[in-house]
């Protein structure tokens, strides 16, 4: 295997790992399956790829938002448990003097 073949293989692997190959393949499949093929195929492809980029960006933003919300939920659950414990302690302290007075 020559140096050139090795470089091509590395590049192909890189393109697959980064999702470029699957994105291009999907765009070409969509174009092929389009019943009314557009006059400007290049514009169709760039628009479709632009949508993929926007979707990826939106997914990253949503994933970050989900992570933030999970952290907030965890914090609130801990705070809720702490408050429930304080309420239970306060109720038991209230009940104790009442029990002593009735004796």
């Amino acid at each position: 295997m020559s140096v050139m073949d090795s470089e091509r293989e590395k590049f192909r692997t890189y393109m697959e790992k980064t999702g470029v190959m699957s994105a291009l393949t999907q765009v070409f499949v969509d174009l092929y399956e389009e019943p009314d093929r557009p006059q400007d195929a290049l514009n169709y492809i760039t628009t479709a790829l632009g949508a993929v980029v926007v979707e990826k960006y939106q997914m990253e933003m949503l994933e970050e938002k989900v992570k933030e919300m999970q952290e907030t939920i965890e914090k609130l659950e801990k705070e809720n448990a702490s408050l429930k414990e304080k309420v239970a302690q306060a109720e038991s302290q209230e009940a104790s003097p009442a029990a002593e007075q009735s004796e």
Side-chain angles (χ1 to χ4, degrees):
M1 192 158 157
S2 72
V3 174
M4 186 63 125
D5 289 339
S6 175
E7 289 298 316
R8 284 182 183 161
E9 183 60 27
K10 285 180 186 177
F11 184 72
R12 186 190 61 75
T13 301
Y14 162 76
M15 298 294 277
E16 286 178 357
K17 284 184 179 179
T18 57
V20 173
M21 294 298 284
S22 63
L24 286 172
T25 301
Q26 187 59 52
V27 169
F28 289 141
V29 168
D30 291 345
L31 180 59
Y32 177 78
E33 292 175 347
E34 188 72 34
D36 298 319
R37 298 221 171 107
Q39 293 293 322
D40 189 353
L42 184 57
N43 185 47
Y44 177 90
I45 292 168
T46 56
T47 302
L49 286 174
V52 170
V53 171
V54 169
E55 287 176 11
K56 182 177 179 185
Y57 174 74
Q58 288 173 339
M59 283 297 293
E60 290 170 355
M61 295 296 293
L62 290 172
E63 287 170 353
E64 182 63 32
K65 188 70 173 172
V66 166
K67 182 179 175 186
E68 290 172 8
M69 293 177 113
Q70 287 172 331
E71 290 170 357
T72 301
I73 289 169
E74 187 176 311
K75 178 183 167 191
L76 291 172
E77 286 175 339
K78 287 178 182 178
E79 184 179 344
N80 187 20
S82 173
L83 291 172
K84 283 182 178 180
E85 186 177 314
K86 287 178 183 179
V87 167
Q89 288 173 353
E91 287 175 347
S92 68
Q93 287 175 355
E94 252 182 40
S96 294
E100 291 173 6
Q101 289 176 0
S102 64
E103 290 178 4

